[in-house]
Amino acid sequence: MRFNPFEEKPMPLDQLFMDWDKLYPKPYHLGTVHPYTKVRIVLMNGTEFEAQWFGHQFSRHCQDNDLRRELAMIRRIEQMQQKRISCLKPKNETILEHTITYEQLAVDLTAFLARRESDCNVKTALDFALLEDFDHLYRYANLLDYEYGTCPEKLVGRYTEMTPARPTIAHHRYPTDSIFRSIDNQTASLETKLGINIITAAEQQTMNYYMNIAPFYSRSDLGRRLYQEIGMIEEEHVSQYESLKDPSATWLEDLLMHEYTECYLYYSCMMTECDLYIRKIWEECLMQEISHLHKAKELLEKYENKSWQQVIGGCGDFPDILVLGPNIDYIRHIIAATTGNTQKKEDVIPLNRLPENDPFFYYQHIMNDPLCEVASHVTVDARIRRKGCDYRFEIKENPLPELRNRRCDNTSIGRIPACTPASASSRGTTADNCQCPLNK
């Protein structure tokens, strides 16, 4: 269905304020909520967080107080939207149960965006981090089963597998190897620009959540340490994804793109939501974001004498909506083809191409020695010791033979060249084999 937010009539911003009753909605019910309803809530909460931080950074770099006041008006309503969405989470959902939803979002959102991406550089970045978030889900699932006895596969509705990929211990790379090449907004497709905005916000929210929640995890020191470790990796992911953005965009161009992205996401959520109560919230948020978009359009014209078409391109119609759902076959393909890859500066390459003195190995030695203190490994190892094997949910055995042993956690693949088979790192690299749709 065609939808163009620029053709919609906006409401005045001062008619979008909400009272306390609306700001505190009825939360979803843990026993009946659909997994992808939870995922959409986490997605949009993160999108509103991004809107907040971008708006504040814009204001801190702006000298015009009239423009600052306009930004403050938009930002206040974004803040109300975030408060409303975040409170859809019920009180009886534990931190760790909620974390499973975060990682299901990271996995299925990244896979969706990668599958439709036409820019080889962006697709490589998405596929690379996809395997890492996938392994994070596996680690948290083992912690949930080990410490709570809760069945993780029920939380994800059996839509997303929980099995190892590139081991979390291998994700710790030297800081300079977390930057990709940026796109050019003038030549990039609308789907590419939307995808980068969406995934950057989602990963930034995950980073912020783990940064803040680690000391509040009260079940064990192991859990606190796991949040700490994976939070460090999420910082890498944010660095990777934000580096894809075009740095030449002006603040007002970026504001317009932020608001367009929010409209696109709320429209996608509204069109795919199965919970009628929450669907109504998405519909109301879309209406609010259309007003924000028109205000951003007005500010761009006033302060930079630019039209929205110069930023968005085309006629303004949304591309195909974002549909969150299972991506099991696609992820299995990426595991089989690229688990042994790592990043070197702007490129994704097989681990065995790194020289012996590469900073990757130095950083690994600093971070992960001794092995018995690395939380991502200890979590799985503890579950194996207690129950004889790790926790997994698989529709069939792991795509890589090296990751099929359920009685021993593999901490070598993607980290130690001699233990990383060529079959796991021969495809999907930036330099060698672009697998984006345009090159299939």
PDB file of all heavy atoms in Angstrom, residues 91-111:
ATOM      1  N   LYS A  91       5.771  -5.215  34.836  1.00  0.00           N
ATOM      2  CA  LYS A  91       6.644  -5.255  36.016  1.00  0.00           C
ATOM      3  C   LYS A  91       7.203  -6.649  36.262  1.00  0.00           C
ATOM      4  O   LYS A  91       8.297  -6.798  36.797  1.00  0.00           O
ATOM      5  CB  LYS A  91       5.877  -4.782  37.264  1.00  0.00           C
ATOM      6  CG  LYS A  91       5.342  -3.365  37.183  1.00  0.00           C
ATOM      7  CD  LYS A  91       4.735  -2.934  38.510  1.00  0.00           C
ATOM      8  CE  LYS A  91       3.493  -3.744  38.872  1.00  0.00           C
ATOM      9  NZ  LYS A  91       2.374  -3.504  37.953  1.00  0.00           N
ATOM     10  N   ASN A  92       6.465  -7.670  35.908  1.00  0.00           N
ATOM     11  CA  ASN A  92       6.885  -9.039  36.239  1.00  0.00           C
ATOM     12  C   ASN A  92       7.800  -9.672  35.196  1.00  0.00           C
ATOM     13  O   ASN A  92       8.098 -10.861  35.270  1.00  0.00           O
ATOM     14  CB  ASN A  92       5.661  -9.931  36.471  1.00  0.00           C
ATOM     15  CG  ASN A  92       4.800 -10.096  35.219  1.00  0.00           C
ATOM     16  OD1 ASN A  92       4.826  -9.240  34.333  1.00  0.00           O
ATOM     17  ND2 ASN A  92       4.042 -11.172  35.146  1.00  0.00           N
ATOM     18  N   GLU A  93       8.257  -8.894  34.233  1.00  0.00           N
ATOM     19  CA  GLU A  93       9.225  -9.392  33.264  1.00  0.00           C
ATOM     20  C   GLU A  93      10.623  -9.085  33.778  1.00  0.00           C
ATOM     21  O   GLU A  93      10.967  -7.927  34.025  1.00  0.00           O
ATOM     22  CB  GLU A  93       9.014  -8.748  31.889  1.00  0.00           C
ATOM     23  CG  GLU A  93       9.923  -9.302  30.815  1.00  0.00           C
ATOM     24  CD  GLU A  93       9.624  -8.702  29.448  1.00  0.00           C
ATOM     25  OE1 GLU A  93       9.434  -7.469  29.370  1.00  0.00           O
ATOM     26  OE2 GLU A  93       9.572  -9.461  28.462  1.00  0.00           O
ATOM     27  N   THR A  94      11.452 -10.115  33.966  1.00  0.00           N
ATOM     28  CA  THR A  94      12.775  -9.913  34.537  1.00  0.00           C
ATOM     29  C   THR A  94      13.710  -9.219  33.545  1.00  0.00           C
ATOM     30  O   THR A  94      13.446  -9.180  32.337  1.00  0.00           O
ATOM     31  CB  THR A  94      13.410 -11.251  34.957  1.00  0.00           C
ATOM     32  OG1 THR A  94      13.690 -12.024  33.777  1.00  0.00           O
ATOM     33  CG2 THR A  94      12.481 -12.041  35.879  1.00  0.00           C
ATOM     34  N   ILE A  95      14.805  -8.692  34.080  1.00  0.00           N
ATOM     35  CA  ILE A  95      15.825  -8.063  33.244  1.00  0.00           C
ATOM     36  C   ILE A  95      16.308  -9.028  32.169  1.00  0.00           C
ATOM     37  O   ILE A  95      16.447  -8.663  30.996  1.00  0.00           O
ATOM     38  CB  ILE A  95      17.011  -7.596  34.116  1.00  0.00           C
ATOM     39  CG1 ILE A  95      16.603  -6.400  34.989  1.00  0.00           C
ATOM     40  CG2 ILE A  95      18.228  -7.246  33.258  1.00  0.00           C
ATOM     41  CD1 ILE A  95      17.647  -6.017  36.015  1.00  0.00           C
ATOM     42  N   LEU A  96      16.549 -10.265  32.556  1.00  0.00           N
ATOM     43  CA  LEU A  96      17.109 -11.240  31.621  1.00  0.00           C
ATOM     44  C   LEU A  96      16.083 -11.678  30.574  1.00  0.00           C
ATOM     45  O   LEU A  96      16.421 -11.867  29.394  1.00  0.00           O
ATOM     46  CB  LEU A  96      17.642 -12.444  32.391  1.00  0.00           C
ATOM     47  CG  LEU A  96      18.555 -13.419  31.635  1.00  0.00           C
ATOM     48  CD1 LEU A  96      19.633 -12.690  30.845  1.00  0.00           C
ATOM     49  CD2 LEU A  96      19.180 -14.402  32.608  1.00  0.00           C
ATOM     50  N   GLU A  97      14.827 -11.821  30.967  1.00  0.00           N
ATOM     51  CA  GLU A  97      13.780 -12.120  29.983  1.00  0.00           C
ATOM     52  C   GLU A  97      13.670 -10.993  28.965  1.00  0.00           C
ATOM     53  O   GLU A  97      13.538 -11.233  27.757  1.00  0.00           O
ATOM     54  CB  GLU A  97      12.438 -12.320  30.683  1.00  0.00           C
ATOM     55  CG  GLU A  97      12.319 -13.628  31.452  1.00  0.00           C
ATOM     56  CD  GLU A  97      11.047 -13.707  32.269  1.00  0.00           C
ATOM     57  OE1 GLU A  97      10.605 -12.660  32.795  1.00  0.00           O
ATOM     58  OE2 GLU A  97      10.489 -14.820  32.381  1.00  0.00           O
ATOM     59  N   HIS A  98      13.745  -9.760  29.454  1.00  0.00           N
ATOM     60  CA  HIS A  98      13.668  -8.607  28.556  1.00  0.00           C
ATOM     61  C   HIS A  98      14.883  -8.574  27.628  1.00  0.00           C
ATOM     62  O   HIS A  98      14.778  -8.186  26.451  1.00  0.00           O
ATOM     63  CB  HIS A  98      13.588  -7.331  29.388  1.00  0.00           C
ATOM     64  CG  HIS A  98      13.073  -6.147  28.634  1.00  0.00           C
ATOM     65  ND1 HIS A  98      11.946  -6.177  27.847  1.00  0.00           N
ATOM     66  CD2 HIS A  98      13.545  -4.869  28.541  1.00  0.00           C
ATOM     67  CE1 HIS A  98      11.730  -4.983  27.315  1.00  0.00           C
ATOM     68  NE2 HIS A  98      12.696  -4.174  27.709  1.00  0.00           N
ATOM     69  N   THR A  99      16.026  -9.002  28.136  1.00  0.00           N
ATOM     70  CA  THR A  99      17.246  -9.035  27.333  1.00  0.00           C
ATOM     71  C   THR A  99      17.116 -10.005  26.161  1.00  0.00           C
ATOM     72  O   THR A  99      17.627  -9.742  25.060  1.00  0.00           O
ATOM     73  CB  THR A  99      18.442  -9.431  28.212  1.00  0.00           C
ATOM     74  OG1 THR A  99      18.599  -8.448  29.243  1.00  0.00           O
ATOM     75  CG2 THR A  99      19.724  -9.545  27.407  1.00  0.00           C
ATOM     76  N   ILE A 100      16.428 -11.118  26.368  1.00  0.00           N
ATOM     77  CA  ILE A 100      16.203 -12.061  25.267  1.00  0.00           C
ATOM     78  C   ILE A 100      15.470 -11.362  24.125  1.00  0.00           C
ATOM     79  O   ILE A 100      15.772 -11.568  22.945  1.00  0.00           O
ATOM     80  CB  ILE A 100      15.410 -13.295  25.759  1.00  0.00           C
ATOM     81  CG1 ILE A 100      16.215 -14.088  26.796  1.00  0.00           C
ATOM     82  CG2 ILE A 100      15.012 -14.189  24.585  1.00  0.00           C
ATOM     83  CD1 ILE A 100      17.502 -14.695  26.275  1.00  0.00           C
ATOM     84  N   THR A 101      14.513 -10.500  24.460  1.00  0.00           N
ATOM     85  CA  THR A 101      13.802  -9.746  23.429  1.00  0.00           C
ATOM     86  C   THR A 101      14.737  -8.774  22.720  1.00  0.00           C
ATOM     87  O   THR A 101      14.660  -8.595  21.494  1.00  0.00           O
ATOM     88  CB  THR A 101      12.613  -8.991  24.040  1.00  0.00           C
ATOM     89  OG1 THR A 101      11.705  -9.934  24.628  1.00  0.00           O
ATOM     90  CG2 THR A 101      11.869  -8.184  22.993  1.00  0.00           C
ATOM     91  N   TYR A 102      15.611  -8.117  23.485  1.00  0.00           N
ATOM     92  CA  TYR A 102      16.604  -7.220  22.869  1.00  0.00           C
ATOM     93  C   TYR A 102      17.412  -7.960  21.807  1.00  0.00           C
ATOM     94  O   TYR A 102      17.635  -7.445  20.703  1.00  0.00           O
ATOM     95  CB  TYR A 102      17.554  -6.677  23.939  1.00  0.00           C
ATOM     96  CG  TYR A 102      17.170  -5.335  24.497  1.00  0.00           C
ATOM     97  CD1 TYR A 102      16.139  -5.207  25.413  1.00  0.00           C
ATOM     98  CD2 TYR A 102      17.852  -4.187  24.109  1.00  0.00           C
ATOM     99  CE1 TYR A 102      15.793  -3.976  25.932  1.00  0.00           C
ATOM    100  CE2 TYR A 102      17.524  -2.944  24.619  1.00  0.00           C
ATOM    101  CZ  TYR A 102      16.486  -2.841  25.534  1.00  0.00           C
ATOM    102  OH  TYR A 102      16.137  -1.614  26.041  1.00  0.00           O
ATOM    103  N   GLU A 103      17.882  -9.158  22.154  1.00  0.00           N
ATOM    104  CA  GLU A 103      18.738  -9.875  21.221  1.00  0.00           C
ATOM    105  C   GLU A 103      17.944 -10.498  20.073  1.00  0.00           C
ATOM    106  O   GLU A 103      18.457 -10.615  18.960  1.00  0.00           O
ATOM    107  CB  GLU A 103      19.544 -10.941  21.964  1.00  0.00           C
ATOM    108  CG  GLU A 103      20.561 -10.357  22.943  1.00  0.00           C
ATOM    109  CD  GLU A 103      21.629  -9.499  22.277  1.00  0.00           C
ATOM    110  OE1 GLU A 103      21.796  -9.577  21.047  1.00  0.00           O
ATOM    111  OE2 GLU A 103      22.313  -8.735  22.985  1.00  0.00           O
ATOM    112  N   GLN A 104      16.697 -10.887  20.321  1.00  0.00           N
ATOM    113  CA  GLN A 104      15.876 -11.348  19.202  1.00  0.00           C
ATOM    114  C   GLN A 104      15.667 -10.208  18.213  1.00  0.00           C
ATOM    115  O   GLN A 104      15.710 -10.413  16.987  1.00  0.00           O
ATOM    116  CB  GLN A 104      14.530 -11.882  19.688  1.00  0.00           C
ATOM    117  CG  GLN A 104      13.703 -12.494  18.562  1.00  0.00           C
ATOM    118  CD  GLN A 104      12.380 -13.097  19.014  1.00  0.00           C
ATOM    119  OE1 GLN A 104      11.841 -12.724  20.057  1.00  0.00           O
ATOM    120  NE2 GLN A 104      11.869 -14.046  18.251  1.00  0.00           N
ATOM    121  N   LEU A 105      15.455  -9.015  18.725  1.00  0.00           N
ATOM    122  CA  LEU A 105      15.350  -7.847  17.845  1.00  0.00           C
ATOM    123  C   LEU A 105      16.639  -7.664  17.058  1.00  0.00           C
ATOM    124  O   LEU A 105      16.601  -7.486  15.827  1.00  0.00           O
ATOM    125  CB  LEU A 105      15.065  -6.583  18.666  1.00  0.00           C
ATOM    126  CG  LEU A 105      15.246  -5.261  17.912  1.00  0.00           C
ATOM    127  CD1 LEU A 105      14.222  -5.138  16.785  1.00  0.00           C
ATOM    128  CD2 LEU A 105      15.144  -4.070  18.860  1.00  0.00           C
ATOM    129  N   ALA A 106      17.778  -7.693  17.743  1.00  0.00           N
ATOM    130  CA  ALA A 106      19.055  -7.477  17.071  1.00  0.00           C
ATOM    131  C   ALA A 106      19.253  -8.492  15.944  1.00  0.00           C
ATOM    132  O   ALA A 106      19.710  -8.143  14.843  1.00  0.00           O
ATOM    133  CB  ALA A 106      20.202  -7.569  18.077  1.00  0.00           C
ATOM    134  N   VAL A 107      18.908  -9.744  16.199  1.00  0.00           N
ATOM    135  CA  VAL A 107      19.102 -10.803  15.209  1.00  0.00           C
ATOM    136  C   VAL A 107      18.153 -10.633  14.022  1.00  0.00           C
ATOM    137  O   VAL A 107      18.585 -10.564  12.858  1.00  0.00           O
ATOM    138  CB  VAL A 107      18.910 -12.184  15.863  1.00  0.00           C
ATOM    139  CG1 VAL A 107      18.823 -13.284  14.809  1.00  0.00           C
ATOM    140  CG2 VAL A 107      20.041 -12.472  16.848  1.00  0.00           C
ATOM    141  N   ASP A 108      16.874 -10.560  14.290  1.00  0.00           N
ATOM    142  CA  ASP A 108      15.909 -10.572  13.177  1.00  0.00           C
ATOM    143  C   ASP A 108      15.826  -9.236  12.453  1.00  0.00           C
ATOM    144  O   ASP A 108      15.543  -9.198  11.243  1.00  0.00           O
ATOM    145  CB  ASP A 108      14.543 -11.025  13.683  1.00  0.00           C
ATOM    146  CG  ASP A 108      14.502 -12.528  13.940  1.00  0.00           C
ATOM    147  OD1 ASP A 108      15.143 -13.272  13.174  1.00  0.00           O
ATOM    148  OD2 ASP A 108      13.861 -12.958  14.912  1.00  0.00           O
ATOM    149  N   LEU A 109      16.078  -8.130  13.148  1.00  0.00           N
ATOM    150  CA  LEU A 109      16.126  -6.840  12.472  1.00  0.00           C
ATOM    151  C   LEU A 109      17.339  -6.777  11.551  1.00  0.00           C
ATOM    152  O   LEU A 109      17.232  -6.370  10.385  1.00  0.00           O
ATOM    153  CB  LEU A 109      16.182  -5.704  13.496  1.00  0.00           C
ATOM    154  CG  LEU A 109      16.404  -4.303  12.928  1.00  0.00           C
ATOM    155  CD1 LEU A 109      15.224  -3.882  12.059  1.00  0.00           C
ATOM    156  CD2 LEU A 109      16.624  -3.289  14.049  1.00  0.00           C
ATOM    157  N   THR A 110      18.509  -7.165  12.060  1.00  0.00           N
ATOM    158  CA  THR A 110      19.726  -7.119  11.248  1.00  0.00           C
ATOM    159  C   THR A 110      19.594  -8.018  10.030  1.00  0.00           C
ATOM    160  O   THR A 110      19.987  -7.644   8.911  1.00  0.00           O
ATOM    161  CB  THR A 110      20.945  -7.531  12.084  1.00  0.00           C
ATOM    162  OG1 THR A 110      20.992  -6.754  13.288  1.00  0.00           O
ATOM    163  CG2 THR A 110      22.229  -7.320  11.303  1.00  0.00           C
ATOM    164  N   ALA A 111      19.042  -9.217  10.235  1.00  0.00           N
ATOM    165  CA  ALA A 111      18.872 -10.138   9.105  1.00  0.00           C
ATOM    166  C   ALA A 111      17.931  -9.559   8.061  1.00  0.00           C
ATOM    167  O   ALA A 111      18.191  -9.654   6.851  1.00  0.00           O
ATOM    168  CB  ALA A 111      18.362 -11.485   9.602  1.00  0.00           C
TER     169      ALA A 111
END
